Amino acid sequence: MTDTYKRSLKGLDENFHKRITILGSTGSIGTQTLDIVDTHPDKFEVVGLAAGSNIERLSDQIIKYKPRAVALSNKDKIKDLKDLLVARGCEEMPEIFEGDEGVVEVAKYGNAETVVTGIVGCAGLLPTVAAIKAGKDIALANKETLISGGPVILPLLQEHGTKCVPADSEHSAIFQSLQGVPPGGLRKVILTASGGAFRDWDAKDLHKVKLEDALKHPNWDMGAKITIDSATLMNKGLEVIEAHYLFGTPYDDIDVVVHPQSIIHSMIETQDSSVIAQLGWPDMRLPLLYSITWPHRMKMPYDRLDLVKLGQMTFKEPDRQKYPCLDLAYAAGRAGGSMTAALNAANEQAVAMFRKGEIGYLDIPNLIEYTMEGHKNQHIANPTLEDIVNVDSWAREYGATYSKNQELVA
């Protein structure tokens, strides 16, 4: 006990140093990861960066962090990026890769020990596979990777002896709560949900929703897609599937509870009925930090939780009428195989169409159900990586044929 206590006080090995690559470096996950690097620049080295099209922010990052490899998925902006780096006097020009295949190259590049997967959507799947095959640990901030590719990713991790540490707040909370719990000690996973933009709306009023309404998250500062997923509660449905794959928990033993304050980030119940939770102010940097420093605890200048200042925490059951996407996710998870890939792709398609004004907010779950129904006859129980990629492409195309006046297929 004394040795354990002494180790906990120490917190961080004085020789700790981590080489990291960040996929999605200009987005929310990437910039917050680099904020961690800024706090302890002596403890981290940035080996690679990958971004979509934001060359201004990416060029700033290249000049500041001096990565050896960089990828830009938007091929049309490669020349502009190179010209911008020259104009800004970049002294250490990295090797620059282009396109989606370039992101894959950066994911497996060099001597990075951990790859932070912050690319939104199923686009993060192939780079994650490449990183695992290259023997790199994964800080998983892209939930779609496991949701679509769980049947392939899990055996791959075991085959290559690499670790996958969750970097989103809920699964990090579960992972942290499990530290010290013996094998077989987990009884139930309890995921907490903020309730999103419409937690205080009546279900009968959701037909009035506009895009700007769905983008007003009450607690978290996140990208547009995940903010809309939070509004529909599909983000929690996807997290249910991810929890199943990450922790091997049966779907009947994964619960969701609405917790408006977002202080308890998730909980576990052990076999003896004890409940263990991870608490903190809503700050994505904390789970990101743990994903790249685990099993260490690094001292950070973050706001510390003050329970007196907080005052109270409340909980309620999610309204299934308001949040039909939650039940769709459970259904896809229980179907297993390729159905979760179809669900994820259909959701991405629905959110994209909603953002473009092509469908209404209430059409999002209808489009997803329409696509899942269409996939039933093509369902693959044990999909390969190629199967998952094909299902993802099919589901997007099929979802695009939905119209709000269309009856769901029988």
Side-chain angles (χ1 to χ4, degrees), residues 189-203:
V189 165
I190 305 166
L191 291 162
T192 56
S194 68
F198 306 123
R199 69 185 181 202
D200 298 322
W201 286 46
D202 289 330

Side-chain angles (χ1 to χ4, degrees), residues 139-388:
L140 188 67
N142 172 300
K143 61 173 62 72
E144 292 85 359
T145 292
L146 272 187
I147 291 149
S148 294
V152 172
I153 294 292
L154 295 183
L156 207 58
L157 288 165
Q158 188 170 14
E159 177 186 349
H160 293 275
T162 54
K163 302 178 184 67
C164 180
V165 180
D168 64 304
S169 62
E170 293 82 3
H171 298 94
S172 176
I174 297 165
F175 183 65
Q176 292 181 60
S177 298
L178 280 169
Q179 301 303 302
V181 175
L186 177 63
R187 187 175 189 175
K188 179 173 285 190
V189 165
I190 305 166
L191 291 162
T192 56
S194 68
F198 306 123
R199 69 185 181 202
D200 298 322
W201 286 46
D202 289 330
K204 62 181 176 60
D205 293 327
L206 292 179
H207 68 280
K208 304 174 185 176
V209 168
K210 297 178 181 178
L211 176 60
E212 54 266 31
D213 299 320
L215 292 173
K216 295 175 183 175
H217 196 283
N219 297 346
W220 295 93
D221 180 15
M222 306 180 293
K225 194 266 180 182
I226 193 171
T227 301
I228 295 170
D229 283 349
S230 179
T232 64
L233 220 65
M234 178 55 89
N235 72 320
K236 213 53 50 179
L238 298 177
E239 287 166 12
V240 167
I241 298 169
E242 186 180 2
H244 169 77
Y245 282 125
L246 277 173
F247 308 111
T249 312
Y251 286 101
D252 288 346
D253 295 328
I254 304 173
D255 288 346
V256 174
V257 61
V258 175
H259 168 44
Q261 294 81 16
S262 295
I263 297 298
I264 294 179
H265 299 303
S266 278
M267 300 168 269
I268 63 167
E269 181 184 350
T270 56
Q271 295 292 354
D272 59 5
S273 77
S274 294
V275 175
I276 304 171
Q278 186 264 327
L279 288 72
W281 298 120
D283 188 338
M284 269 305 301
R285 293 173 300 176
L286 181 56
L288 284 166
L289 171 69
Y290 196 64
S291 73
I292 59 177
T293 60
W294 175 80
H296 304 286
R297 291 288 184 176
M298 181 177 285
K299 188 172 184 179
M300 300 296 280
Y302 300 157
D303 290 342
R304 297 164 69 181
L305 181 62
D306 184 332
L307 293 175
V308 174
K309 181 179 178 182
L310 173 64
Q312 65 175 348
M313 293 186 287
T314 58
F315 306 90
K316 60 182 178 180
E317 187 176 357
D319 181 345
R320 253 54 182 198
Q321 183 182 1
K322 187 191 292 187
Y323 302 117
C325 285
L326 185 58
D327 287 333
L328 290 173
Y330 270 100
R334 290 188 171 106
S338 60
M339 187 59 79
T340 54
L343 168 91
N344 179 69
N347 179 60
E348 290 189 20
Q349 180 65 30
V351 171
M353 291 172 70
F354 171 61
R355 291 178 65 186
K356 293 176 184 175
E358 295 173 0
I359 61 173
Y361 175 78
L362 292 178
D363 291 308
I364 293 175
N366 291 339
L367 186 153
I368 296 167
E369 185 176 2
Y370 166 76
T371 305
M372 289 173 63
E373 289 289 335
H375 184 59
K376 283 183 177 179
N377 292 332
Q378 306 174 40
H379 180 253
I380 305 168
N382 297 295
T384 64
L385 180 60
E386 183 179 5
D387 290 332
I388 290 167

